[in-house]
Amino acid sequence: MTVKASATIVLGAQYGDEGKGKLVDLIAEKAHFVCRVQGGNNAGHTIWVAGKKVVTHLIPSAILRPDCRVGLGAGMVIDPLAWQEEFEMLRSLGVNMNSSRLFVDPRAQIILPYHRLMDRKRESDSATRGASIGTTGRGIGPAYASRAFREGPRVCDLVAEGGLDAFFRKSPHLEEGFDSSVRASFDAIAKMLRPHVRDVASEANDVLDAGQKLLIEGAQGAMLDVAFGSYPYVTSSSLVAGSCPGNLGIPPWRIGNILGVVKAYSTRVGNGPFVGELHGELEEKIRKVGGEFGSTTGRPRRVGWLDLVALRYFVRINGITALSLMKSDVLSGLSEVGLITGYRNRDTGKRFEGWPTSLSETEKVEPELEFCKGWTSVVGVDGTFTDSFRAFVQRVEKFAGIPVAYVSTGPDRNEGHWLTEIF
Ligand code: IMP
């Protein structure tokens, strides 16, 4: 059998917030079907359209492109209240939210008020021991835990006759916080959701069988992956490229390009180790110019230099085929720009061979920095990249071992350059 891959993944290659929303929005123009496959409304995908900012948390950001269909895959966790709020927000912007283009897989897990309460309670309990993760508080981890316990309801249960009562009878603790007003909301949401419930896996396979283009919209970032990220300071789902087809329900051999999205610097929101984190004036400046505040929680993002050691590792384990470099314009005007090109053990001074996996090992990492000449602007008056910015891009490509296919030069759809068309 010959293999004809026509699915592309857009994957965050750092700690999330890399600018995947913009990339997906660009590529989705040519896609037939765009799906999210994991996480829930912990994500925040920001798209600027004609100077107007739109943020989606749960529904794939590709919904803003009128000609593609969008799906929420089986691997997701869905808070019905967040679904309703986002649905109404998008509809009020004039977005086509018809059930002929927006589908939800019946196997996706439901986030209940109990899961949100549990998320916040666990966080505040562990904060007293200085061990909180800094979650978004959206109930994401507890909802996945309910799936692992095989006790939580799924979308198919929410929209079924009788609603969730059968689940509450079997697992009474899940009913906490499910008061009469939430019950009434869930009933109304079940009704509006019903026409959208569709086997997203079959739909995705139909699209591929027809030779059409499928795009998987990754959420969060590979360094927050539950297995490969900085455990336990990670999200609760699998984010690596290898898990995307499984969370959607398509064969892995259908995946062709895997586009890794990185900023020209790093940010992290929430707790956990952050190699090369900046402090003081420079951190403040980059945060301010880059608008680095969480799009889901509003928390200030921590800021650091671009970590090429981590990037090379995550390029490898995800099989990233090309990079998309975002927000280089934020660094314009700096006299020099740092890159992390090595890890050393702070106690022994020895170089790390391989990748630090335990928390204690990661906490001992001291970065080796290389500084490139800064750029006054990404693009010069002649419309091409300035020499110093081009040298930065080449350094990133050489270290990561893959090409940069797209460079974003500003927040709007039209601000960016494709160096290689990948879709
Ligand atoms: P949770 O996903 O809400 O459980 O949060 C776990 C960790 O992942 C926290 O550090 C969050 O700040 C982080 N996180 C979750 N979703 C995102 C995202 O979309 N962008 C950036 N960080 C995220």
Side-chain angles (χ1 to χ4, degrees), residues 306 308-309 311-312 315 323 339 341 370 390-404:
L306 176 57
L308 290 182
V309 178
L311 182 60
R312 182 157 64 186
V315 161
L323 291 172
L339 288 168
T341 52
E370 184 178 299
R390 194 189 306 278
F392 176 81
V393 172
Q394 284 167 350
R395 184 69 184 116
V396 172
E397 288 180 321
K398 184 154 185 240
F399 203 102
I402 50 168
V404 170

Side-chain angles (χ1 to χ4, degrees), residues 117 120 125 146 151 174 193 244 414:
L117 290 169
R120 288 172 195 173
D125 287 353
S146 268
E151 64 176 17
L174 294 179
L193 188 60
C244 291
N414 306 320

Side-chain angles (χ1 to χ4, degrees), residues 68-92:
C68 65
R69 288 171 289 150
V70 301
L72 283 72
M76 288 189 71
V77 285
I78 295 176
D79 183 335
L81 301 171
W83 158 272
Q84 183 185 38
E85 189 182 328
E86 195 157 303
F87 189 98
E88 299 302 347
M89 179 275 287
L90 289 163
R91 189 157 59 183
S92 73

Side-chain angles (χ1 to χ4, degrees), residues 15-18 20 40-45 119 123 133-142 219-221 224 232-237 267-272 295-297 299 301:
Y15 293 106
D17 310 316
E18 300 92 350
K20 294 178 293 295
N41 59 321
N42 49 348
H45 292 174
D119 197 358
E123 282 289 275
I133 290 165
T135 71
T136 58
R138 301 294 193 262
I140 307 293
Q220 289 84 47
L224 290 173
Y233 296 99
V234 290
T235 191
S236 42
S237 59
T267 59
R268 173 163 203 167
V269 63
N271 304 332
S295 43
T296 300
T297 57
R299 291 176 290 179
R301 294 178 185 145

Side-chain angles (χ1 to χ4, degrees), residues 81 84 178-190:
L81 301 171
Q84 183 185 38
F178 201 79
D179 58 26
S180 56
S181 95
V182 177
R183 182 177 289 270
S185 298
F186 267 51
D187 287 347
I189 296 164

Side-chain angles (χ1 to χ4, degrees), residues 74-238:
M76 288 189 71
V77 285
I78 295 176
D79 183 335
L81 301 171
W83 158 272
Q84 183 185 38
E85 189 182 328
E86 195 157 303
F87 189 98
E88 299 302 347
M89 179 275 287
L90 289 163
R91 189 157 59 183
S92 73
L93 295 175
V95 176
N96 175 1
M97 304 299 282
N98 206 292
S99 57
S100 60
R101 72 173 297 234
L102 171 59
F103 315 138
V104 182
D105 197 289
R107 292 157 288 211
Q109 204 71 24
I110 291 292
I111 300 179
L112 295 166
Y114 162 80
H115 296 121
R116 269 184 283 124
L117 290 169
M118 185 55 66
D119 197 358
R120 288 172 195 173
K121 183 174 180 323
R122 287 179 63 89
E123 282 289 275
S124 64
D125 287 353
S126 40
T128 59
R129 298 185 296 277
S132 67
I133 290 165
T135 71
T136 58
R138 301 294 193 262
I140 307 293
Y144 277 119
S146 268
R147 182 165 83 167
F149 282 137
R150 284 139 293 161
E151 64 176 17
R154 302 185 296 170
V155 167
C156 53
D157 306 308
L158 175 72
V159 300
E161 280 302 312
L164 304 180
D165 283 339
F167 276 84
F168 295 147
R169 273 196 297 278
K170 275 192 241 160
S171 309
H173 60 283
L174 294 179
E175 202 168 358
E176 189 180 348
F178 201 79
D179 58 26
S180 56
S181 95
V182 177
R183 182 177 289 270
S185 298
F186 267 51
D187 287 347
I189 296 164
K191 219 165 156 190
M192 80 181 262
L193 188 60
R194 208 165 278 133
H196 296 272
V197 178
R198 186 102 64 113
D199 184 340
V200 172
S202 293
E203 202 71 31
N205 281 289
D206 287 348
V207 163
L208 293 167
D209 288 346
Q212 296 183 328
K213 288 182 171 178
L214 174 76
L215 179 65
I216 295 179
E217 174 175 334
Q220 289 84 47
M223 291 172 81
L224 290 173
D225 179 89
V226 68
F228 291 95
S230 52
Y231 186 89
Y233 296 99
V234 290
T235 191
S236 42
S237 59
S238 179

